Amino acid sequence: LPPARMSPQALQLLHGVNGCDPAVAPRGKATSASKRVAATAMIGGDGVEGTVCKLRLENFMCHSHFEMEYGPHVNFITGENGSGKSATLTALQIALGMQARKTDRSQSLKDFVARGQPYSIVQVSLRNKGQDSFRHSAYGDMITIERKISASGASAFKLKGASGDTVSTSREELASMLDHFNIDVSNPVVAMTQDGSRKFLHSGSGQDKFRFYMKATLLEVVQAQLTYSNSKAFEMQEVIERLKSDQGVLEAELQRLKEQMGEFERIREKKKRVSNLKKQLAWAHVAAHKETLAEMERKRQETLGRVPELEAQYAQVQEALQEVEKRRNSVYSEVSRASDQLQPVQEAAGELQRQAKEANSQLRKARSTCKSLRHEVTTLEREQASLEEQVNTISAQLAQASQAQLSQHDSRIGPIQEKLAGSKRKLEEIESEVEETAREVKRAENEEKVAQREAANSQREVKKLEDYLKGMRASRNNSAQAFGEFMPDLKQAIQRRARQFRFAPIGPIGEFLQLTDKKWATAIEVAVGKYLSGFIVDNLHDKEVLRRCMTDLKRGGRILQQVNVFTYNFSVIKEAYAPRESHLPRHPLPTVHTALICSNYVVANLLIDQASIERQVLVHDYEEGKVPAFRDNFNVMQCITEDGTKMSKRGHSEAIERPRGSVQPKLVADYTSTIGTFENELQAAHTRLQEERRLADSSKAQLRELQKRLQVAERAKKQGEQQHKRIARELQEAQEERNDAEPMDNVDDMVANLEDVKSQVSSKQSALAEEEQAAQEIDERQRGLQAAYEKEVA
């Protein structure tokens, strides 16, 4: 076993002795309301942290009330089939968080609740004492996980401490605790179900065992993680190589930046030097100002020495100013009187000046309008002259045009247009015919493919029925030949190597089975057909010897079909299983187990263990099977109808699987009636094959005819398109020739335009005269105002 914690250690599985199931043994006495379970515990020491020490069940599967204490090491449970050994293992898995479908016992949690009970409770207690304990301050020396399941399938967790108080109800807390104790109930070494152990013990393939080893030791996960790490390392190596390739560019960039930094340093030194020079310049200015101030101080002293002289001059100036002030006051008085007389004159002059400005503005506007009108009149006169010239030219052309020539062109264009319209109608009819024929060809191709496929299926069905009838006729004298044409030779090869076997192989399995009712032959074939040609051996040595027998036949040139070999320890098991009532479907319907009479208990036990024949229900049709298959499917693996249709519940979906083609059963109650039935079926199959071949040939001939029609239609379409294009080109050339011969016919429009231009010229000339008159009046008015203003100012 791998160096991982094997908790709960009670899940080491034993199988093959007196029908032992994998389970857990109690320390003391285990009690159940409906079952008695004998147990033995190998007890020593207190165990390690995380091991199971107690299990309590209430209304769980077949246990109404069940309590068990475990030893710290390996525990064994023994008991009869159906006594509830496997239920204890399932309870441990469910309590430790496993989903119902992963237990191989049911698809829903509600199926674990005992019938008629509202809920079920599973309690598992784990040791939590020691250095590796989980949150010992919160839980104490024991952790109890309780999972309550309602009849509807809902469930809830409680994690309790040693005192019985609830510490947490979170699934995350449960997952954290299981991770701390390294408990993984999905690992087959930690918890192997009954079906899992059966498959492991019966498998002789080294690959299957190696896969089991990889999964059990977690090497599978490690390998996946290693692959992921290698891929990441490869990606990182690529990143490193890419960065190395970029290193040269980055180093060159770094060198360039260093050179720029040197330039920046030199610039900074120069800036520092400029700053010092500015400071020196400022101090030089200060020194120059000091010299200027000294000169100014000298001049001030000289000026102070001249002050008495200047004061005498100032007194003389003051006297002169007083005289001037007197004269100024006299002048101001005279100006004031003149201003009073001038004010009315200034107001009149201002009004005249304003009116003159307004008249001048109106004059400029009138002159601008006159200029614009003159330009428009000139333009219209030029346009008038051009139109008159064009009218004269066109009139001359019309006089020279030949009406007979135009009529000749028109008489040529008319038939070409009719011919083009007819060609277009014909081309549209051909295109419609091509599309319809193409649709018919596509439909005929599909019908021909379907007919060929049906004929091939019928051919395979006929070959299958012929081979089956050949085997049935041979089976009248040798029953083993019903399970393969090579089977008698294989049995002789086994007889020749009989001394090499430790225990004689049992087979073919179908030789030990009989039908209770022939109507279930097809359903039985669908349920256990792959087992009927198989053999059962006691051990791997006998299995290898049987393989050598098959190899001898192959070397002799015989073609062997697939023969399944099952390893089953029948040297210890001496009687057939008797399925308990609680393990059977609730419905009073036949099962594969009750529809077969088995003369060998090993074969019966194998079919119960491997094929679960006690849980495969036989029904007449879909209506009878939908309730046990989809609604009340407790202990029902699947339902099979008389025609071989399988019905089962997969999760929340309903699965219905019908057989492919007809089913030829290997088990028959009466060879004569069976051969007669299949001879009739073979004759009907031959008739169907002939009819389907006739239909296929007819479809093929019809397809060829339609393909020929399509080719003819496509050629006609191509010719029609070419003819249509030729006529269209001929019409275009005729129209171009007529246009060249026909003079311009828009003289009336041009004459109308000419009259309109003349009207516009007349209107613009009238407006121009009015504007010039208005401008002249404004000019005369402006001159009168200017003269009046000059007179007022004077």
Side-chain angles (χ1 to χ4, degrees):
L1 296 179
R5 182 190 300 278
M6 305 308 299
S7 299
Q9 297 189 14
L11 306 184
Q12 308 297 323
L13 304 179
L14 297 176
H15 188 277
V17 181
N18 296 327
C20 268
D21 284 339
V24 184
R27 170 179 289 178
K29 181 179 180 182
T31 60
S32 175
S34 57
K35 307 289 187 296
R36 291 184 58 213
V37 178
T40 303
M42 298 173 62
I43 305 174
D46 294 332
V48 297
E49 301 86 336
T51 53
V52 179
C53 56
K54 187 176 181 181
L55 173 68
R56 187 178 78 86
L57 306 178
E58 183 178 343
N59 300 329
F60 185 82
M61 297 182 69
C62 59
H63 296 290
S64 59
H65 184 75
F66 184 86
E67 291 188 2
M68 175 185 296
E69 293 185 1
Y70 294 91
H73 298 296
V74 180
N75 295 263
F76 298 89
I77 295 179
T78 60
E80 299 178 355
N81 288 339
S83 60
K85 302 184 301 298
S86 299
T88 61
L89 174 61
T90 303
L92 283 170
Q93 292 174 311
I94 291 297
L96 296 177
M98 180 176 280
Q99 297 177 353
R101 59 184 177 83
K102 293 185 178 180
T103 63
D104 296 335
R105 300 300 297 268
S106 177
Q107 294 293 323
S108 175
L109 290 173
K110 64 182 179 181
D111 295 333
F112 295 125
V113 181
R115 294 183 62 181
Q117 299 299 326
Y119 63 87
S120 173
I121 295 177
V122 181
Q123 282 188 353
V124 175
S125 298
L126 305 179
R127 292 179 178 85
N128 194 41
K129 183 179 181 181
Q131 294 181 352
D132 198 22
S133 61
F134 176 75
R135 295 184 58 193
H136 189 274
S137 59
Y139 290 98
D141 293 344
M142 183 182 297
I143 300 176
T144 300
I145 303 105
E146 177 183 302
R147 190 172 188 180
K148 185 175 182 180
I149 306 170
S150 66
S152 63
S155 67
F157 285 94
K158 289 184 180 179
L159 275 70
K160 300 180 179 180
S163 62
D165 296 333
T166 300
V167 178
S168 176
T169 59
S170 170
R171 272 182 174 269
E172 289 75 10
E173 180 78 1
L174 174 62
S176 177
M177 183 213 34
L178 295 177
D179 183 64
H180 177 81
F181 289 137
N182 199 14
I183 298 174
D184 181 10
V185 290
S186 63
N187 190 322
V189 171
V190 175
M192 181 181 288
T193 62
Q194 187 172 356
D195 290 340
S197 62
R198 184 187 300 120
K199 291 178 182 178
F200 174 72
L201 293 174
H202 291 173
S203 173
S205 170
Q207 292 180 351
D208 293 341
K209 292 182 178 179
F210 181 75
R211 281 196 295 269
F212 176 85
Y213 170 76
M214 293 288 287
K215 183 177 181 181
T217 58
L218 302 179
L219 289 176
E220 196 172 47
V221 178
V222 173
Q223 187 177 18
Q225 293 176 349
L226 180 60
T227 302
Y228 176 77
S229 300
N230 288 337
S231 65
K232 285 296 181 182
F234 182 73
E235 292 177 3
M236 291 299 103
Q237 186 64 31
E238 289 182 345
V239 172
I240 291 171
E241 294 296 332
R242 187 167 62 252
L243 293 177
K244 284 183 178 179
S245 64
D246 295 340
Q247 185 177 0
V249 178
L250 295 175
E251 288 178 350
E253 181 67 17
L254 178 60
Q255 183 64 30
R256 187 181 64 81
L257 293 175
K258 285 181 177 179
E259 292 176 356
Q260 289 184 354
M261 283 296 297
E263 292 292 334
F264 291 152
E265 289 293 334
R266 287 192 291 273
I267 290 171
R268 186 163 58 182
E269 290 294 332
K270 290 181 179 180
K271 286 184 176 181
K272 186 176 180 181
R273 183 179 176 186
V274 167
S275 177
N276 292 334
L277 291 174
K278 285 181 178 180
K279 292 177 182 179
Q280 293 175 7
L281 179 61
W283 283 111
H285 288 167
V286 170
H289 282 298
K290 284 183 177 180
E291 293 177 357
T292 304
L293 287 175
E295 182 63 24
M296 291 175 68
E297 181 64 24
R298 185 182 60 77
K299 291 181 179 181
R300 187 179 72 83
Q301 293 297 332
E302 292 178 354
T303 304
L304 289 176
R306 296 176 56 196
V307 167
E309 181 182 354
L310 293 174
E311 286 179 352
Q313 293 177 1
Y314 175 73
Q316 294 175 1
V317 171
Q318 280 293 111
E319 291 176 358
L321 282 176
Q322 290 176 2
E323 184 65 26
V324 171
E325 184 68 24
K326 291 177 181 179
R327 292 177 61 189
R328 185 180 68 83
N329 291 335
S330 175
V331 172
Y332 276 166
S333 299
E334 294 177 1
V335 170
S336 178
R337 288 193 301 269
S339 295
D340 292 341
Q341 296 174 2
L342 185 61
Q343 184 173 2
V345 177
Q346 287 178 339
E347 290 177 358
E351 179 64 23
L352 291 173
Q353 189 176 12
R354 185 185 63 76
Q355 292 178 4
K357 288 181 179 180
E358 183 177 352
N360 191 25
S361 175
Q362 292 177 358
L363 178 61
R364 284 196 301 273
K365 188 181 297 183
R367 287 176 178 172
S368 175
T369 303
C370 290
K371 184 178 180 181
S372 176
L373 289 172
R374 289 192 191 94
H375 177 71
E376 291 179 3
V377 167
T378 302
T379 302
L380 289 172
E381 286 175 348
R382 284 199 296 269
E383 185 177 355
Q384 178 182 348
S386 175
L387 287 172
E388 287 175 350
E389 183 179 357
Q390 291 179 16
V391 168
N392 294 331
T393 302
I394 292 172
S395 297
Q397 290 178 356
L398 286 175
Q400 297 173 0
S402 174
Q403 188 64 33
Q405 198 176 22
L406 295 176
S407 300
Q408 182 182 359
H409 285 293
D410 290 339
S411 63
R412 181 188 173 194
I413 289 174
I416 296 175
Q417 288 178 337
E418 293 178 359
K419 188 177 180 182
L420 182 64
S423 174
K424 184 177 181 181
R425 288 193 298 273
K426 184 177 180 180
L427 182 60
E428 290 176 350
E429 293 174 358
I430 294 174
E431 288 177 346
S432 176
E433 182 181 357
V434 169
E435 292 176 358
E436 180 64 27
T437 307
R439 285 194 292 270
E440 291 180 0
V441 168
K442 186 66 175 178
R443 184 167 58 253
E445 287 177 348
N446 294 333
E447 292 176 355
E448 195 266 343
K449 289 179 181 178
V450 171
Q452 292 290 350
R453 187 166 56 250
E454 293 295 333
N457 292 337
S458 297
Q459 179 67 36
R460 287 192 292 271
E461 185 69 15
V462 167
K463 182 67 170 61
K464 194 174 181 180
L465 288 171
E466 289 175 346
D467 293 342
Y468 181 69
L469 280 173
K470 181 179 178 182
M472 285 292 102
R473 294 188 183 104
S475 299
R476 287 176 173 175
N477 301 322
N478 191 337
S479 60
Q481 201 159 354
F483 307 102
E485 184 180 354
F486 60 89
M487 195 59 69
D489 295 335
L490 179 59
K491 293 183 71 174
Q492 291 178 7
I494 293 173
Q495 187 65 31
R496 287 194 296 270
R497 290 181 177 267
R499 291 188 177 183
Q500 298 179 18
F501 291 99
R502 296 175 183 173
F503 297 93
I506 299 174
I509 292 174
E511 281 193 328
F512 301 93
L513 300 174
Q514 293 182 359
L515 296 173
T516 59
D517 191 339
K518 65 180 182 180
K519 70 179 181 180
W520 301 119
T522 300
I524 296 298
E525 181 66 28
V526 171
V528 296
K530 67 177 182 179
Y531 295 92
L532 301 181
S533 300
F535 282 78
I536 307 174
V537 296
D538 179 79
N539 50 72
L540 296 178
H541 172 269
D542 291 348
K543 185 175 183 179
E544 183 60 30
V545 175
L546 182 58
R547 295 289 184 192
R548 288 199 290 270
C549 294
M550 297 179 188
T551 304
D552 292 343
L553 291 182
K554 289 181 180 178
R555 289 173 179 171
R558 298 304 305 272
I559 300 175
L560 270 69
Q561 301 173 359
Q562 179 64 32
V563 177
N564 293 316
V565 180
F566 304 96
T567 306
Y568 199 80
N569 191 1
F570 57 78
S571 60
V572 176
I573 303 174
K574 300 300 183 182
E575 60 182 10
Y577 296 153
R580 290 186 172 272
E581 187 71 22
S582 59
H583 289 179
L584 298 176
R586 301 170 180 173
H587 307 279
L589 295 171
T591 62
V592 176
H593 183 256
T594 59
L596 290 174
I597 299 174
C598 185
S599 59
N600 187 296
Y601 73 93
V602 177
V603 173
N605 291 345
L606 175 73
L607 294 178
I608 290 174
D609 283 342
Q610 296 283 335
S612 300
I613 56 176
E614 79 281 6
R615 296 195 295 125
Q616 298 195 50
V617 179
L618 303 177
V619 295
H620 293 287
D621 51 25
Y622 172 80
E623 291 298 326
E624 186 179 30
K626 64 183 180 180
V627 173
F630 304 139
R631 300 175 187 172
D632 187 10
N633 60 342
F634 183 75
N635 282 339
V636 175
M637 177 181 174
Q638 64 181 0
C639 292
I640 308 176
T641 63
E642 289 184 12
D643 63 356
T645 300
K646 296 191 288 186
M647 306 163 58
S648 61
K649 190 74 174 291
R650 296 178 182 174
H652 298 288
S653 60
E654 299 176 357
I656 299 176
E657 183 180 354
R658 292 180 173 82
R660 299 180 179 177
S662 61
V663 179
Q664 287 83 38
K666 301 182 186 70
L667 293 179
V668 295
D670 183 2
Y671 282 102
T672 302
S673 62
T674 302
I675 291 173
T677 300
F678 277 91
E679 283 178 345
N680 295 333
E681 188 173 343
L682 177 61
Q683 184 177 0
H686 274 295
T687 303
R688 288 195 303 272
L689 177 60
Q690 293 174 358
E691 178 65 20
E692 287 167 357
R693 283 177 175 174
R694 186 187 64 78
L695 290 175
D697 294 340
S698 175
S699 299
K700 194 172 183 178
Q702 184 180 5
L703 176 61
R704 285 197 296 269
E705 181 65 26
L706 289 172
Q707 287 174 341
K708 290 179 180 179
R709 282 176 52 192
L710 180 60
Q711 291 175 358
V712 172
E714 286 178 343
R715 284 197 296 270
K717 177 184 176 183
K718 186 175 181 180
Q719 293 173 359
E721 289 175 347
Q722 293 175 352
Q723 183 179 4
H724 185 75
K725 290 180 181 179
R726 186 169 61 253
I727 296 172
R729 284 197 300 270
E730 184 179 353
L731 176 61
Q732 184 179 3
E733 292 173 356
Q735 288 176 343
E736 289 176 353
E737 291 177 0
R738 186 188 185 283
N739 292 335
D740 293 339
E742 183 180 13
M744 298 178 64
D745 57 354
N746 57 350
V747 178
D748 294 337
D749 294 338
M750 297 181 68
V751 171
N753 290 338
L754 179 58
E755 293 299 330
D756 186 38
V757 170
K758 287 181 178 180
S759 175
Q760 292 181 16
V761 169
S762 177
S763 175
K764 294 294 183 180
Q765 286 177 345
S766 299
L768 176 59
E770 292 177 359
E771 288 294 332
E772 287 178 345
Q773 181 65 29
Q776 186 176 0
E777 292 176 358
I778 293 170
D779 189 26
E780 291 176 356
R781 181 184 170 199
Q782 193 264 349
R783 287 197 186 102
L785 291 172
Q786 183 68 25
Y789 173 74
E790 291 176 355
K791 182 179 180 181
E792 287 294 333
V793 171

